[in-house]
Amino acid sequence: MKGLWLVLVTACVAQLASADTPANCTYSDLIGKWKIYVGPRGTRDTVACSKKPSQIVEDISVEFSPIAKAVKVGDGEIGYFTLIYNQGFEFDIGHRRFFAFFQYETVNSTYSKYWCNRTMYGWEHDTHGKEWSCFLAVKQDKHAEFELGHFPPRELKQPGRLNLDLDAKFVNDMDFIHDINAVQSSWVAGKYEHFELMTNREILRIAGKMNAKIVRPDFARKLHVSNSNAASKLPESFDWRDVNGVNYVSPVRNQGQCGSCYTFASTGMLEARIRVATNNSQTPVFSTQEVVSCGSYSQGCEGGFPYLIAGKYANDFGVVEEDCYPYEGKDTACKPAKPDCRRHYVDNYWYVGGYYGGCTEDRMKVALVTNGPVAVGFEVYDDFMQYKSGIYHHVYQLKKNANREGFDPFELTNHAVLVVGYGADAQTGEKYWIVKNSWGTGWGENGYFRIRRGNDECGIESLAFEAFPITDI
């Protein structure tokens, strides 16, 4: 059964990336001048950005330059931007906010095309969310024509599946588990009997997607800027589950066989931060199914990003509570929430460090202690599924190329979870993050796991994100 685990390297386990869109665009693809074509304006309820606007009423030119600065060409107005993993980008300029995915086209189950010099039709609105429109962005390089056909696409071929009976029952590989425990002592691997109640197909669904996405074989080199002064004033260990005996973290839940971890990480962060802000006088549990079924900024059970859910979706549309839209763990048609259901909004949101690529261990610690738990992405490898306890690290981790030139924030990640604390082992001194998963309380350390801190283990310090919910207090 080791062949199955080779497929599991694409887990959401959110895909966070591979299950979202086929696009695989880089920071350098985004840098430069873009023409923004804006359609007619309306309200949030009347503007639909899944199709071409009836006409273009305005075009503006924007230049994206390192790092995170957007400049409106012509009047020099300055705003900001962030890449969203390798899938799209968002920028604010002129009191308006723009978001779009990079252009892609799925040809069949094993072949896709994508373009990094233009976008799908995206959403833009004023900073108060009152006036909305759709837009298309086109990079002004030597092929600046408007029509899609003028841009040579990049190709993405999905790897073929291994020779595996997907409908057979899963069997824990005890030799594999033994090997994990034999080569290291930092954490313990073990079997999960409830996995054997599932088929290989269902295990793969827990892990996110049946076909892996090909990503660039190289790794990122980040700008290593720390908040060392602020971080030096923090306690040696911290856990939002026990702050002077008080727990501010909502219960562990189970995403089931839907690739919806990004919704659980998102709602878990909002739930915890409301508990922190109100001293537990408000303890909502938010609906993940409403996001899966109705969210415009994700792909339902095929994945998404906390930045676009606890951030953009909660800011633009708001989230409802679980009782209003109970979790089903599958893609369903969107239906209106109950009429008396209140929507909860966030006031602001950003990647820790201000933009994708700006996160560090110190900045994560400061955000965590100061504001509450933070949502993160990381890469689930084959051995993580067998984690039982201890301080996890990927046993067969490949070394990153530390000699890459230039700024490139990309890190391979495919699962979204919630960091609720940090600490260090009293005997070995090994540092770790305390992380809430969405695979139920029967997995790991009562639904949680610890993972090495300070070395960007599996990319966990690359994609940290925080949002600030609006409360009644």
Side-chain angles (χ1 to χ4, degrees), residues 71-355:
V71 179
K72 188 175 180 182
V73 177
D75 62 15
E77 189 165 9
I78 296 175
Y80 88 97
F81 77 90
T82 183
L83 186 68
I84 300 173
Y85 198 60
N86 59 358
Q87 300 284 288
F89 58 94
E90 183 177 58
F91 69 96
D92 279 18
I93 201 164
H95 304 290
R96 303 195 70 84
R97 179 166 291 179
F98 299 74
F99 159 70
F101 290 108
F102 290 109
Q103 175 73 46
Y104 67 92
E105 177 185 341
T106 300
V107 178
N108 54 47
S109 61
T110 61
Y111 175 66
S112 300
K113 303 182 207 178
Y114 63 95
W115 291 258
C116 295
N117 49 9
R118 66 172 289 140
T119 68
M120 307 288 281
Y121 290 101
W123 297 260
E124 74 96 12
H125 57 75
D126 61 83
T127 51
H128 297 291
K130 301 294 184 183
E131 188 178 59
W132 287 61
S133 65
C134 305
F135 76 95
L136 180 72
V138 179
K139 191 170 186 180
Q140 300 300 285
D141 53 18
K142 61 182 180 179
H143 299 289
E145 294 88 349
F146 185 83
E147 294 300 323
L148 179 64
H150 291 287
F151 292 92
R154 301 179 185 181
E155 298 180 355
L156 176 68
K157 292 183 179 180
Q158 304 282 6
R161 294 175 186 170
L162 298 175
N163 185 18
L164 179 70
D165 184 353
L166 296 178
D167 295 314
K169 288 291 186 181
F170 169 79
V171 178
N172 281 282
D173 184 350
M174 299 309 297
D175 288 338
F176 180 58
I177 293 171
H178 175 271
D179 289 346
I180 294 171
N181 291 326
V183 298
Q184 54 82 42
S185 59
S186 181
W187 62 280
V188 176
K191 66 180 291 186
Y192 285 97
E193 293 184 356
H194 67 276
F195 283 174
E196 297 190 343
L197 301 176
M198 305 178 190
T199 64
N200 292 329
R201 187 187 307 273
E202 290 169 332
I203 288 289
L204 289 172
R205 289 214 65 188
I206 289 176
K209 191 167 174 64
M210 304 293 283
N211 288 318
K213 176 183 178 180
I214 299 174
V215 296
R216 296 183 294 111
D218 53 295
F219 291 92
R221 181 186 180 189
K222 297 185 194 178
L223 294 183
H224 293 286
V225 180
S226 71
N227 278 20
S228 56
N229 289 338
S232 66
K233 301 176 183 178
L234 298 178
E236 291 297 317
S237 62
F238 189 86
D239 188 347
W240 279 110
R241 299 172 301 173
D242 183 5
V243 180
N244 297 322
V246 179
N247 179 15
Y248 293 94
V249 181
S250 56
V252 170
R253 300 177 66 187
N254 194 333
Q255 71 187 68
Q257 294 148 29
C258 171
S260 54
C261 57
Y262 65 99
T263 66
F264 286 90
S266 294
T267 56
M269 179 177 63
L270 298 180
E271 291 158 3
R273 289 192 166 208
I274 288 176
R275 285 162 168 75
V276 171
T278 66
N279 197 26
N280 276 333
S281 65
Q282 297 176 33
T283 57
V285 173
F286 292 123
S287 170
T288 52
Q289 187 66 47
E290 196 269 345
V291 174
V292 167
S293 298
C294 304
S296 301
Y297 303 149
S298 64
Q299 285 70 49
C301 280
E302 295 302 308
F305 296 86
Y307 182 94
L308 295 178
I309 302 306
K312 187 163 184 61
Y313 187 76
N315 182 259
D316 288 349
F317 298 96
V319 293
V320 299
E321 296 188 28
E322 177 68 14
D323 291 344
C324 294
Y325 213 121
Y327 188 61
E328 298 181 54
K330 60 184 179 180
D331 286 313
T332 61
C334 180
K335 59 187 178 183
K338 298 175 183 178
D340 57 345
C341 287
R342 172 189 174 187
R343 287 196 171 269
H344 300 254
Y345 294 85
V346 302
D347 179 54
N348 215 334
Y349 57 96
W350 50 65
Y351 284 117
V352 173
Y355 52 89

